[in-house]
Amino acid sequence: MLASKLYAPTLRETPADADVISQQYMLRAGMIRKMAGGIYSYLPLAWKSIRKIEQIVHEEMGSIDAQEIMMPIIQPAEIWQESGRWKVYGAEMIRLKDRHEREYCLGPTHEEMITTLVKGEVNSYRQLPVTFYQIQNKYRDERRPRYGLMRSREFIMKDAYSFDIDEEGLDVSYWNMYHAYERVFSRCGLYFKPVEADSGAIGGSNSHEFMALAESGEADVIHCNSCDYAANIEIGKPGIIKAVEEEASELQEVPTPDAKTIEAVAEQLHLPLAKTIKAVVLSTDGVVVLAIVRGDHEVNEIAVQHAVDSTIEPEMATEEELQNAGLTAGFISPVGLKQTETFKIVVDESVMETYNVCGGANKKDAHYININPKRDFNVDDIIVAPIRLITADDACPNCGGQLSIAKGIEVGQVFKLGTKYSESLNATFLNQGGRPNPFVMGCYGIGVSRTLAAAIEQFHDENGIIWPRAIAPFEVVVVPINAKDEALMDVSTRVYEALKAIGVDALLDDRKERAGVKFKDADLIGYPLRITVSKNTLESGAVEMKIRKNGEAIEVPIDEVTTVVADTLNTL
Amino acid sequence: MLASKLYAPTLRETPADADVISQQYMLRAGMIRKMAGGIYSYLPLAWKSIRKIEQIVHEEMGSIDAQEIMMPIIQPAEIWQESGRWKVYGAEMIRLKDRHEREYCLGPTHEEMITTLVKGEVNSYRQLPVTFYQIQNKYRDERRPRYGLMRSREFIMKDAYSFDIDEEGLDVSYWNMYHAYERVFSRCGLYFKPVEADSGAIGGSNSHEFMALAESGEADVIHCNSCDYAANIEIGKPGIIKAVEEEASELQEVPTPDAKTIEAVAEQLHLPLAKTIKAVVLSTDGVVVLAIVRGDHEVNEIAVQHAVDSTIEPEMATEEELQNAGLTAGFISPVGLKQTETFKIVVDESVMETYNVCGGANKKDAHYININPKRDFNVDDIIVAPIRLITADDACPNCGGQLSIAKGIEVGQVFKLGTKYSESLNATFLNQGGRPNPFVMGCYGIGVSRTLAAAIEQFHDENGIIWPRAIAPFEVVVVPINAKDEALMDVSTRVYEALKAIGVDALLDDRKERAGVKFKDADLIGYPLRITVSKNTLESGAVEMKIRKNGEAIEVPIDEVTTVVADTLNTL
């Protein structure tokens, strides 16, 4: 393609409201434009990269016999009501009514839809297993869309769904997909880690997330330095820390004016954080949950969700919910409180192993000292569970080794659903014995647009993007340093044509811009290779080939360009 | 691909609520499934055909340097309010609110969005011309979605937008697109006609629709049997018919009890229809329009729209609107009526050339006879315009020759927008003189999913679909008549592999079904060629090749199959 015919409006300045590198560079490189909060247009360069990711996905889905279909983006409310998720999704689901006042949503995912689609048509075990996939816009009305394509409200997903006879079949489908995902992300050039993930309240036995490791990632990944354990921090199970045993002193109320955080209390009372307990009040599915961890620990909300057996991810409780539960924010502990239908108390295991700690007195400006949980809590009336977040100081849950924590961008997830949707939507097949059985399902997702952003988060420098070859909008840019010079344009065109002839995806920068502008654009957009055609090297019958990744530049004789470029691309 | 791994749930019975052939066959062939009114899932076979159409579109868009982008499906209300179309679209536009109560629509088209996208970024005439396109779901909340993919609420469109310096530039872009569309539809194998179309109230000088001719089409196309004139009937300009001049008789009221249609009146009074005038009451943009044509003519609503200079396509007026305008349904004529701000009277030119005709007396159960329009209408206070529909009895507006009328499915449209959107959205570039000018725009659409349906409407027989080769889900199906017979499967597999090796898109029907079932499915799904492998022909070292289109079957020696298939496909 000719750069003079390519719409790539590059910007010299970093746009003000771009939070992360991928967003900044995609805006600056003329790849995306924001049309509304969390809603973007893809300009030609970005769309070309998206198409390359899609092609890799198609090939790898084909390799495991997954069949491409296309389901509607608009989904009728009825199937979501049937599965029970119409309510669960809350404000994240974008809803609408048609002219006849019928309710729909814009699909955030398609479990209900695919189950409805095969229901009554896949009738026999002989038709199983079967796996479908589609690549499509998905919708989530994020409270605070941010980070460009990493957390947008309209985004491109590849979603897939497998249908099997039984758990063993699902296991095969699951691992086929898992390995296909490994190949997809490897081929895209990402540095990623599959990690164990929360399988939710569904009771599925397996889920893995594919994490592209990057500073800007919103997820925390723990992994062991000794064994191959790797997991989303949410599911890392911490050990129980037993404090040194002490004689229990008498419970005593002390004034703690204006000390609303446990850190402030510890400072006022000159206590180490480990001698305090802190309260986090959450809300899930209409239930207010008081979560208690040691002052030096953090609450793992997913663990709390499991502890109270909820299907809905907890959120911070509102002031109103606190009031209704009779809680005094900043001064809460379980001492003297009782659970009800709509109020639960979940205490971390390690809290139960503490002595003489400090916690809220459940009234304003007061704390207790010398709380002894086993003595002072209604121990038969609380839930004790491992609800603190694991840390790098904990031992590996698998081998006891040293853990590390890294930031990750979730680019994919595989999930064993089991019979959750086939049961709620009553979708069955006849097994070998002629009896109706619910399908055993898996669901699988790849964030296509997020993968694009993740690649940039991983591969860039101060001058711009450094594309992995496989998903670069163009593999090579050929730059005549002066497009008005016929001799230079002539050589450039010949090199460009020769590269295209061997299947290299090349761009000829025939724009009548200064060389400096073209070089800056080439670095910003991040083509893996740049061929510069100038009088300097032409004198010796050569052009310059520069590798974006490491800045290495070598002179290449014109008649060797195709070979050298092909060889070099294979190393990128 | 192996049929045993292909999800194509064929049905023997025609589904009850399928109105047209394409819908019936796509349902029966396991290609689509209805998920809600006017909302469909595409199963693997249909999606494969859609992908082939898309590929043809991509190639032809590339050939005219149109660049692929992707704009959001969700569009903020603001840009539609700015262009003035937020109101115009009415109930057809699907609207929604996000969690912050901001308003959006699901894009029925993207003129506002693309104009907003380039605004401020394409700054100079040097960057022009430029054309963008995308392939994407579009949304129209049809009052009565029907005909399967032909008139659905969620459908796949290729939309494109061109930006030029001036009308001359637009003319080049327009005709480039026009010819690309001709190539797209030719390559898809459609039998189509580009016809002149309404360019709306925009004042654009050109618009063409690409009509796939088919009985089930919703559009009427007129075309000349002598010259190459072809147009949507809506814009065919009829000549003025002058009745034989008569002495004007006296206006007289006669009772016409219960005669609410002009046909009933003519019968009661023993008058030919040509001696009557009839009234159609329309509503557009808050204005009630009384349209008058001769009793033997029909009203062309688009012509009425132009006559009153409205931007909104007229609809039939409601009872309430009639009452407010003081009109008595069934007994209306312009005699004694006056136009107001919100009430217009439009009389067809040929009506003005009649004498002593019969029309409504503007009161219940009464008509006038001997109306003489030039005498009895407030001629200075009505709009006279050519508002009757042209018929096959009219002369060709171009050469005076004989006209024909055919039904067409609109599969594409090209449209000169001019500066409508660039002006309303204030999108300008600097011209050679350094002065800001509004972009001169064109917009262009292809109904991708509708093209699929149109192909079936054109090519089918009583047994099923007969795909044009280029968009068939598979080009060839290889059918061993008994998949349990190893020898047959062996030959079938070899033939299938050989076909794949030369690039033929082949399916091997390895299902352990009876031959009859496989043949029925092959005919229903409509693969262009079927290779049957049976003991009969194998004895003489041959297989049978059957052409779906004409039923012709020939024996082909096994080692010639690839050549014969390739040659035959080239003729389909």
Side-chain angles (χ1 to χ4, degrees):
Chain A
M1 188 170 191
L2 302 180
S4 60
K5 297 189 168 180
L6 172 71
Y7 185 61
T10 53
L11 310 171
R12 289 289 158 255
E13 304 298 324
T14 300
D17 60 346
D19 316 311
V20 290
I21 286 287
S22 58
Q23 190 183 9
Q24 290 166 11
Y25 279 151
M26 274 195 275
L27 287 166
R28 283 192 51 200
M31 301 186 83
I32 60 171
R33 288 295 180 261
K34 184 171 157 183
M35 310 310 286
I39 296 173
Y40 290 86
S41 281
Y42 299 81
L43 302 190
L45 286 173
W47 196 247
K48 217 158 166 284
S49 287
I50 290 281
R51 287 288 193 206
K52 288 187 181 186
I53 298 172
E54 287 184 357
Q55 185 55 32
I56 291 170
V57 169
H58 287 311
E59 287 169 19
E60 294 302 339
M61 288 300 99
S63 79
I64 57 167
D65 289 332
Q67 299 181 57
E68 192 184 12
I69 60 170
M70 189 54 67
M71 290 181 280
I73 286 175
I74 287 198
Q75 303 190 16
E78 289 80 7
I79 56 176
W80 288 82
Q81 283 154 350
E82 211 175 326
S83 77
R85 289 210 290 182
W86 185 250
K87 271 192 181 167
V88 172
Y89 251 94
E92 264 201 5
M93 183 182 259
I94 299 181
R95 294 155 212 255
L96 58 95
K97 287 180 183 174
D98 71 5
R99 66 197 299 160
H100 306 296
E101 294 291 310
R102 286 194 205 97
E103 285 189 297
Y104 299 83
C105 69
L106 299 186
T109 178
H110 277 66
E111 284 82 11
E112 282 81 358
M113 183 70 76
I114 189 82
T115 309
T116 306
L117 184 60
V118 302
K119 179 178 166 176
E121 298 225 70
V122 175
N123 296 312
S124 161
Y125 71 94
R126 283 195 207 85
Q127 293 166 276
L128 299 175
V130 64
T131 296
F132 299 107
Y133 80 99
Q134 59 177 354
I135 299 179
Q136 184 189 61
N137 277 1
K138 292 281 187 290
Y139 295 84
R140 277 184 206 165
D141 199 356
E142 298 278 352
R143 186 185 295 272
R144 231 188 100 212
R146 57 191 187 279
Y147 303 157
L149 300 190
M150 298 233 284
R151 188 165 289 279
S152 48
R153 298 198 290 171
E154 178 180 75
F155 52 97
I156 306 168
M157 281 268 290
K158 189 282 306 186
D159 47 329
Y161 307 90
S162 66
F163 295 84
D164 275 280
I165 293 171
D166 52 24
E167 282 290 336
E168 276 165 49
L170 170 57
D171 204 57
V172 174
S173 297
Y174 181 89
W175 289 103
N176 279 346
M177 194 62 79
Y178 179 102
H179 295 305
Y181 276 28
E182 285 187 317
R183 294 192 297 274
V184 165
F185 295 120
S186 294
R187 288 181 60 185
C188 287
L190 283 196
Y191 174 52
F192 70 98
K193 227 183 218 319
V195 309
E196 292 175 25
D198 182 39
S199 54
I202 297 167
S205 44
N206 273 105
S207 178
H208 286 88
E209 289 163 343
F210 289 78
M211 293 286 189
L213 301 181
E215 278 302 312
S216 56
E218 292 188 83
D220 285 301
V221 169
I222 47 168
H223 54 98
C224 180
N225 300 347
S226 310
C227 74
D228 61 0
Y229 177 79
N232 190 312
I233 198 165
E234 294 171 346
I235 68 152
K237 203 181 157 209
I240 301 175
I241 302 174
K242 295 190 183 229
V244 179
E245 203 170 331
E246 290 177 23
E247 191 98 356
S249 305
E250 200 180 333
L251 190 67
Q252 192 185 332
E253 190 183 312
V254 295
T256 51
D258 298 328
K260 286 199 171 175
T261 66
I262 201 66
E263 287 78 9
V265 174
E267 211 184 303
Q268 270 191 18
L269 303 179
H270 306 291
L271 290 171
L273 278 174
K275 291 291 272 184
T276 67
I277 58 174
K278 74 176 167 197
V280 173
V281 190
L282 300 168
S283 164
T284 171
D285 208 4
V287 174
V288 170
V289 183
L290 176 60
I292 305 291
V293 294
R294 249 171 48 176
D296 56 337
H297 291 156
E298 297 299 330
V299 169
N300 178 349
E301 296 183 6
I302 295 297
V304 173
Q305 181 188 343
H306 289 305
V308 298
D309 220 8
S310 168
T311 52
I312 301 175
E313 219 172 293
E315 294 189 356
M316 295 305 288
T318 61
E319 294 236 348
E320 200 189 333
E321 286 172 318
L322 257 77
Q323 273 178 6
N324 290 346
L327 299 173
T328 312
F331 305 94
I332 306 168
S333 82
V335 178
L337 300 184
K338 272 188 85 76
Q339 295 191 128
T340 67
E341 274 292 297
T342 55
F343 176 65
K344 301 288 167 203
I345 303 170
V346 185
V347 180
D348 182 53
E349 292 174 337
S350 297
V351 167
M352 297 308 291
E353 302 295 334
T354 58
Y355 305 89
N356 299 322
V357 290
C358 169
N362 292 317
K363 58 170 129 166
K364 199 164 172 349
D365 294 337
H367 277 78
Y368 289 124
I369 55 173
N370 301 330
I371 294 175
N372 286 275
K374 285 177 184 161
R375 179 192 69 189
D376 299 329
F377 297 174
N378 292 313
V379 282
D380 295 333
D381 190 35
I382 58 174
I383 300 160
V384 177
I387 59 160
R388 73 176 174 95
L389 268 186
I390 197 168
T391 72
D393 294 333
D394 283 297
C396 168
N398 187 41
C399 74
Q402 171 81 48
L403 289 177
S404 295
I405 299 188
K407 289 284 181 189
I409 302 164
E410 187 200 328
V411 287
Q413 181 162 18
V414 291
F415 204 106
K416 285 190 182 177
L417 289 171
T419 56
K420 176 178 164 68
Y421 295 96
S422 47
E423 283 187 7
S424 62
L425 295 162
N426 195 21
T428 60
F429 64 96
L430 295 181
N431 69 11
Q432 278 166 290
R435 273 200 302 266
N437 270 28
F439 296 107
V440 182
M441 293 171 57
C443 70
Y444 316 92
I446 288 179
V448 174
S449 40
R450 194 185 271 182
T451 294
L452 191 76
I456 298 173
E457 293 296 332
Q458 293 191 333
F459 307 109
H460 64 267
D461 63 14
E462 67 281 10
N463 297 317
I465 302 164
I466 305 173
W467 285 111
R469 177 234 182 136
I471 62 173
F474 291 95
E475 295 173 312
V476 177
V477 60
V478 180
V479 183
I481 62 161
N482 179 358
K484 291 172 192 156
D485 183 321
E486 271 184 41
L488 294 189
M489 267 309 286
D490 185 55
V491 173
S492 299
T493 306
R494 273 195 291 136
V495 167
Y496 164 71
E497 295 290 352
L499 290 173
K500 283 211 304 179
I502 62 162
V504 170
D505 190 17
L507 178 75
L508 174 58
D509 196 346
D510 60 336
R511 293 176 302 160
K512 293 185 175 58
E513 299 280 358
R514 285 177 300 110
V517 169
K518 295 186 190 183
F519 292 164
K520 272 203 151 50
D521 280 351
D523 281 353
L524 176 60
I525 295 169
Y527 309 110
L529 291 182
R530 188 184 86 198
I531 306 286
T532 312
V533 182
S534 68
K535 285 231 164 67
N536 279 352
T537 55
L538 273 193
E539 275 170 14
S540 50
V543 295
E544 185 201 74
M545 182 185 77
K546 194 173 169 192
I547 300 173
R548 175 70 182 89
K549 193 172 163 181
N550 54 20
E552 214 176 273
I554 57 169
E555 287 195 15
V556 181
I558 292 175
D559 54 4
E560 290 173 23
V561 168
T562 53
T563 324
V564 174
V565 164
D567 289 349
T568 311
L569 282 176
N570 284 337
T571 70
L572 296 176
Chain B
M1 188 170 191
L2 303 180
S4 60
K5 296 189 168 180
L6 172 70
Y7 185 62
T10 53
L11 310 172
R12 289 288 159 255
E13 304 297 324
T14 300
D17 60 344
D19 316 311
V20 288
I21 285 288
S22 59
Q23 190 183 9
Q24 290 166 10
Y25 279 151
M26 273 195 273
L27 287 166
R28 283 191 50 199
M31 301 186 83
I32 60 171
R33 289 294 180 261
K34 184 172 157 182
M35 311 308 287
I39 296 173
Y40 290 86
S41 281
Y42 299 81
L43 302 189
L45 286 173
W47 197 246
K48 215 157 167 284
S49 286
I50 290 281
R51 288 287 193 207
K52 288 187 180 185
I53 297 173
E54 287 184 358
Q55 185 54 33
I56 291 170
V57 169
H58 287 312
E59 288 169 18
E60 295 302 339
M61 289 300 98
S63 79
I64 57 168
D65 289 333
Q67 300 181 57
E68 192 184 10
I69 61 170
M70 188 54 66
M71 290 181 279
I73 286 175
I74 288 197
Q75 303 191 16
E78 290 80 8
I79 56 176
W80 290 81
Q81 283 154 350
E82 213 176 325
S83 77
R85 287 210 291 183
W86 185 251
K87 271 193 182 167
V88 172
Y89 250 94
E92 265 201 4
M93 183 182 259
I94 298 182
R95 293 155 212 255
L96 58 96
K97 287 181 183 172
D98 72 5
R99 66 197 297 159
H100 306 296
E101 294 290 310
R102 286 193 205 97
E103 286 189 295
Y104 299 83
C105 69
L106 299 187
T109 178
H110 277 67
E111 283 83 10
E112 282 82 357
M113 185 66 87
I114 190 80
T115 309
T116 306
L117 184 60
V118 302
K119 179 180 167 176
E121 298 224 70
V122 176
N123 296 311
S124 160
Y125 71 93
R126 283 195 207 87
Q127 294 166 277
L128 299 175
V130 63
T131 296
F132 299 107
Y133 79 99
Q134 59 178 355
I135 298 179
Q136 185 189 61
N137 277 1
K138 292 281 188 289
Y139 295 84
R140 277 183 206 167
D141 199 357
E142 298 278 352
R143 184 185 296 272
R144 231 188 100 212
R146 57 191 186 279
Y147 304 156
L149 300 189
M150 298 232 285
R151 187 165 289 279
S152 48
R153 298 198 290 171
E154 179 180 75
F155 52 97
I156 306 167
M157 281 269 292
K158 188 283 306 188
D159 47 328
Y161 307 91
S162 66
F163 295 83
D164 275 280
I165 294 170
D166 52 23
E167 283 289 337
E168 277 165 48
L170 170 57
D171 204 56
V172 173
S173 297
Y174 180 88
W175 288 104
N176 280 344
M177 194 62 79
Y178 179 101
H179 294 305
Y181 276 27
E182 286 187 316
R183 294 192 297 274
V184 166
F185 296 119
S186 294
R187 288 181 59 185
C188 286
L190 283 197
Y191 174 51
F192 70 98
K193 226 183 218 320
V195 308
E196 290 176 25
D198 182 39
S199 55
I202 297 167
S205 43
N206 273 105
S207 178
H208 287 87
E209 288 163 344
F210 290 77
M211 292 286 189
L213 301 181
E215 279 303 313
S216 56
E218 293 188 84
D220 286 300
V221 170
I222 47 168
H223 54 97
C224 180
N225 301 347
S226 311
C227 74
D228 61 1
Y229 178 78
N232 189 310
I233 198 165
E234 293 170 347
I235 68 152
K237 203 180 160 211
I240 302 173
I241 301 174
K242 294 188 184 230
V244 179
E245 203 168 330
E246 291 175 22
E247 190 100 355
S249 305
E250 199 180 332
L251 189 68
Q252 190 185 333
E253 191 184 309
V254 295
T256 50
D258 298 328
K260 285 197 170 177
T261 66
I262 200 66
E263 286 79 11
V265 174
E267 211 185 303
Q268 271 191 16
L269 305 179
H270 306 290
L271 290 171
L273 278 172
K275 292 291 272 184
T276 66
I277 58 174
K278 76 176 166 197
V280 174
V281 189
L282 301 168
S283 164
T284 171
D285 208 4
V287 174
V288 171
V289 183
L290 176 60
I292 304 292
V293 294
R294 248 172 47 177
D296 56 337
H297 291 155
E298 297 299 329
V299 170
N300 178 348
E301 296 183 6
I302 295 297
V304 173
Q305 181 189 344
H306 289 307
V308 298
D309 221 6
S310 167
T311 52
I312 301 176
E313 218 172 293
E315 294 188 356
M316 295 306 287
T318 60
E319 295 236 347
E320 200 189 332
E321 286 172 319
L322 256 77
Q323 272 178 8
N324 290 346
L327 299 173
T328 312
F331 305 94
I332 306 167
S333 82
V335 177
L337 300 184
K338 271 186 85 78
Q339 295 193 129
T340 67
E341 273 293 296
T342 56
F343 175 66
K344 300 286 167 205
I345 302 170
V346 185
V347 180
D348 181 54
E349 292 174 337
S350 297
V351 167
M352 299 308 292
E353 302 295 334
T354 58
Y355 305 90
N356 300 322
V357 290
C358 169
N362 292 316
K363 58 170 127 166
K364 200 162 171 351
D365 294 338
H367 278 77
Y368 289 125
I369 55 174
N370 302 330
I371 294 175
N372 286 274
K374 286 177 186 163
R375 179 192 71 189
D376 299 328
F377 297 172
N378 293 312
V379 283
D380 294 332
D381 190 34
I382 58 174
I383 300 162
V384 176
I387 60 160
R388 72 175 174 98
L389 268 186
I390 197 168
T391 72
D393 293 334
D394 282 299
C396 168
N398 188 41
C399 75
Q402 170 81 48
L403 289 177
S404 296
I405 298 187
K407 289 283 179 188
I409 302 165
E410 187 199 328
V411 287
Q413 181 163 20
V414 291
F415 204 107
K416 285 190 181 177
L417 289 170
T419 56
K420 176 179 164 67
Y421 295 96
S422 49
E423 284 187 8
S424 60
L425 295 161
N426 196 22
T428 59
F429 64 96
L430 295 181
N431 68 9
Q432 278 168 291
R435 273 200 303 264
N437 271 28
F439 296 108
V440 182
M441 293 170 57
C443 70
Y444 316 93
I446 287 179
V448 174
S449 40
R450 193 184 273 182
T451 294
L452 192 75
I456 298 174
E457 293 296 331
Q458 292 191 333
F459 306 109
H460 64 267
D461 62 16
E462 67 282 9
N463 297 317
I465 303 165
I466 304 173
W467 285 111
R469 177 235 182 136
I471 63 173
F474 291 96
E475 295 173 311
V476 178
V477 60
V478 180
V479 183
I481 62 160
N482 179 359
K484 291 171 191 156
D485 182 321
E486 272 185 38
L488 294 190
M489 268 307 287
D490 185 54
V491 173
S492 300
T493 306
R494 273 195 291 137
V495 167
Y496 163 72
E497 294 291 352
L499 289 173
K500 283 211 303 179
I502 61 162
V504 170
D505 190 16
L507 179 74
L508 174 58
D509 195 346
D510 61 336
R511 294 177 301 160
K512 293 185 175 57
E513 299 279 358
R514 285 179 299 112
V517 169
K518 294 188 189 182
F519 291 164
K520 272 204 153 48
D521 279 352
D523 280 354
L524 176 59
I525 295 168
Y527 309 111
L529 291 182
R530 188 184 87 198
I531 307 286
T532 312
V533 181
S534 69
K535 285 231 164 68
N536 279 353
T537 55
L538 274 194
E539 276 170 15
S540 50
V543 295
E544 185 201 74
M545 182 184 78
K546 192 172 169 193
I547 300 173
R548 175 71 182 89
K549 195 171 161 180
N550 54 21
E552 214 176 89
I554 56 167
E555 287 195 16
V556 182
I558 292 174
D559 54 3
E560 291 173 23
V561 168
T562 52
T563 326
V564 175
V565 164
D567 288 349
T568 312
L569 282 176
N570 283 337
T571 69
L572 297 175

